[in-house]
Amino acid sequence: MPDWKIMIADGLDESGQSILQAEAQVDDRTGITADALKSQISAYDGLIVRGRTRVTADVLATAKRLQVVGRAGVGVDNIDLAAATGHDVIVVNAPRSTTLAVAEHTLALLLALARSIPQADAGMKTGHWLKKDLMGVELHGKVLGIIGVGNIGGQVARHAQALGMQVLGYDAVLSGADIQLHGVEPVELGYLYANSDFISLHVPLLPETRKMITGQTFGLMKKGVCLVCTARGGLIDETALLGALESGQVAGAALDVFANEPPGLTALVSHPHVIATPHIGAQTIEAQKRAAQDIAQEVMAALRGDPLRWRVV
Ligand code: NAD
């Protein structure tokens, strides 16, 4: 058996670790610092990360043995893909593992926005009975605009339809027919902005999607729109969102992701019409188990030279 060494940098469910241990030496270095990663990575054939560890060009330049980086989840914006390609390092992810968890969290945020659940609970815990102040809206019959109708966007659409929402979708890559497969009406972005009561973002963070939601974009939306983002914080100009919340153009926002994480107690996080969660979209027992198993199998396949299901580069 080859003498493979794999580093786990951000934790991995035990079920994934045992798949790796059957064929390789595995070092769990959860929480490793950027400097320690850079100085120690040269001993490893495989590296498994979640979203915390940044696999930079610097790290990859020192990773002489490294053959594969596995992302136990979806987003690969913490990995320098160009540098990985330049150093012949394969990058794989586990794109299906967290779909249900993130979609369900998105639904939870939509419902929490519609009924001010965090505000109601905070009131109860400080002895205030806010019944008269907290008039909500029903999701049934409202229009949900989904930007990015991929795995998570498509699943959110199915959940939203079960609640009686009308779902519009825009996707820069998928065809109208692909979008319709989810029961979603394919529309242009301008139409989605102008006609949605709720808008949910599900696109990856790429150079072309960074700050795709600006002050100008909020001006194209219905006054009083509610925005949900469980994708990536960098998609939204957060200063512009704060302005749009203060002017009432945006009635509420529910954010699981932030441009800088953790953001601290910023004006956006503490705004009364913002519901903030600490990037917990994929934090379910089931999703983490699936992600660990999927990525362990994929990393071992890459080391063996077997065909790959989820090669990113
Ligand atoms: P996916 O690749 O299945 O879907 C993304 C969709 O966005 C694709 O259909 C793609 O064609 C589309 N797209 C790409 N560029 C676009 C653009 N400029 N405009 C419109 N559409 C565009 O990915 P997914 O698994 O559905 O993940 C979606 C997002 O969720 C990603 O940003 C991912 O990082 C994030 N995510 C967050 C968490 C969390 O914990 N909150 C967990 C997993 C994934």
Side-chain angles (χ1 to χ4, degrees):
M1 190 164 80
D3 191 15
W4 289 317
K5 279 184 78 178
I6 298 172
M7 183 197 288
I8 294 169
D10 297 329
L12 196 71
D13 185 84
E14 274 176 23
S15 57
Q17 296 209 25
S18 14
I19 293 171
L20 301 170
Q21 282 157 354
E23 290 184 76
Q25 180 190 321
V26 181
D27 291 341
D28 187 350
R29 303 297 315 283
T30 297
I32 190 169
T33 64
D35 285 347
L37 178 66
K38 204 172 144 190
S39 64
Q40 295 169 27
I41 192 64
S42 60
Y44 292 90
D45 307 279
L47 170 66
I48 298 184
V49 300
R50 288 185 60 196
R52 183 197 69 95
T53 296
R54 289 174 49 75
V55 187
T56 60
D58 269 5
V59 169
L60 289 158
T62 58
K64 298 296 175 214
R65 268 174 74 164
L66 195 66
Q67 297 181 53
V68 56
V69 177
R71 161 69 162 103
V74 181
V76 287
D77 41 294
N78 54 322
I79 303 169
D80 188 327
L81 298 178
T85 306
H87 291 286
D88 288 329
V89 173
I90 293 170
V91 177
V92 288
N93 68 351
R96 301 290 168 92
S97 56
T98 57
T99 302
L100 284 168
V102 183
E104 288 187 8
H105 190 56
T106 306
L107 257 287
L109 292 176
L110 279 167
L111 287 161
L113 273 175
R115 303 305 300 269
S116 303
I117 290 170
Q119 294 86 341
D121 178 63
M124 294 297 288
K125 288 189 166 65
T126 51
H128 295 99
W129 186 256
L130 298 176
K131 184 177 170 97
K132 287 204 176 65
D133 301 309
L134 297 179
M135 185 61 77
V137 294
E138 290 167 5
L139 293 183
H140 187 101
K142 299 295 181 305
V143 178
L144 171 65
I146 293 183
I147 304 179
V149 194
N151 289 322
I152 298 170
Q155 187 62 44
V156 168
R158 284 188 285 279
H159 288 318
Q161 284 153 8
L163 292 176
M165 298 190 86
Q166 182 197 339
V167 187
L168 307 177
Y170 169 77
D171 194 292
V173 180
L174 295 180
S175 68
D178 285 335
I179 292 173
Q180 278 170 331
L181 287 177
H182 300 287
V184 175
E185 182 185 340
V187 295
E188 287 307 318
L189 204 44
Y191 186 89
L192 184 149
Y193 287 142
N195 291 283
S196 300
D197 302 301
F198 292 81
I199 294 177
S200 193
L201 302 180
H202 300 287
V203 297
L205 182 61
L206 303 167
E208 60 271 28
T209 58
R210 188 174 287 281
K211 289 203 178 169
M212 67 182 287
I213 307 292
T214 62
Q216 202 190 352
T217 326
F218 290 122
L220 303 173
M221 296 178 187
K222 260 186 169 179
K223 189 168 171 64
V225 67
C226 284
L227 183 73
V228 177
C229 185
T230 56
R232 282 292 178 269
L235 300 172
I236 300 172
D237 179 335
E238 293 181 341
T239 309
L241 174 57
L242 189 59
L245 283 158
E246 274 165 8
S247 74
Q249 178 64 18
V250 173
L255 308 170
D256 185 47
V257 286
F258 301 86
N260 295 308
E261 294 183 358
L265 198 53
T266 59
L268 188 60
V269 168
S270 44
H271 194 281
H273 296 154
V274 169
I275 298 171
T277 56
H279 203 145
I280 54 170
Q283 291 285 81
T284 65
I285 292 166
E286 297 86 347
Q288 288 311 312
K289 206 175 271 277
R290 271 194 301 269
Q293 293 169 0
D294 285 357
I295 206 62
Q297 285 161 358
E298 198 70 353
V299 163
M300 291 320 303
L303 290 175
R304 283 190 232 106
D306 289 348
L308 297 172
R309 290 175 293 177
W310 298 308
R311 183 171 181 160
V312 180
V313 294

Short mmCIF file of all heavy atoms in Angstrom, two decimals, residues 121 142 160 209 220 267:
data_model
loop_
_atom_site.label_atom_id
_atom_site.label_comp_id
_atom_site.label_asym_id
_atom_site.label_seq_id
_atom_site.Cartn_x
_atom_site.Cartn_y
_atom_site.Cartn_z
N ASP A 121 -39.00 36.10 20.23
CA ASP A 121 -38.33 35.33 21.28
C ASP A 121 -37.51 36.25 22.19
O ASP A 121 -37.54 36.12 23.42
CB ASP A 121 -37.44 34.27 20.62
CG ASP A 121 -36.67 33.46 21.65
OD1 ASP A 121 -37.31 32.78 22.46
OD2 ASP A 121 -35.43 33.55 21.66
N LYS A 142 -46.95 34.52 -1.88
CA LYS A 142 -45.91 35.52 -2.14
C LYS A 142 -44.95 35.02 -3.22
O LYS A 142 -44.87 33.82 -3.48
CB LYS A 142 -45.10 35.83 -0.87
CG LYS A 142 -45.93 36.39 0.27
CD LYS A 142 -46.51 37.74 -0.06
CE LYS A 142 -47.32 38.32 1.09
NZ LYS A 142 -48.40 37.47 1.57
N ALA A 160 -40.28 25.90 -1.05
CA ALA A 160 -41.11 27.12 -1.08
C ALA A 160 -42.44 26.84 -1.79
O ALA A 160 -43.49 27.35 -1.38
CB ALA A 160 -40.35 28.24 -1.79
N THR A 209 -19.54 37.50 -9.51
CA THR A 209 -20.69 37.60 -8.59
C THR A 209 -20.35 38.41 -7.33
O THR A 209 -21.24 38.74 -6.56
CB THR A 209 -21.21 36.20 -8.16
OG1 THR A 209 -20.13 35.48 -7.54
CG2 THR A 209 -21.75 35.42 -9.33
N LEU A 220 -33.73 48.52 -7.82
CA LEU A 220 -34.52 47.80 -8.82
C LEU A 220 -35.54 46.86 -8.17
O LEU A 220 -36.42 46.33 -8.84
CB LEU A 220 -33.60 46.94 -9.72
CG LEU A 220 -32.48 47.67 -10.46
CD1 LEU A 220 -31.57 46.67 -11.17
CD2 LEU A 220 -33.08 48.65 -11.47
N ALA A 267 -22.92 47.19 12.57
CA ALA A 267 -24.22 47.86 12.48
C ALA A 267 -25.21 46.97 11.73
O ALA A 267 -26.41 46.96 12.04
CB ALA A 267 -24.05 49.20 11.77
#
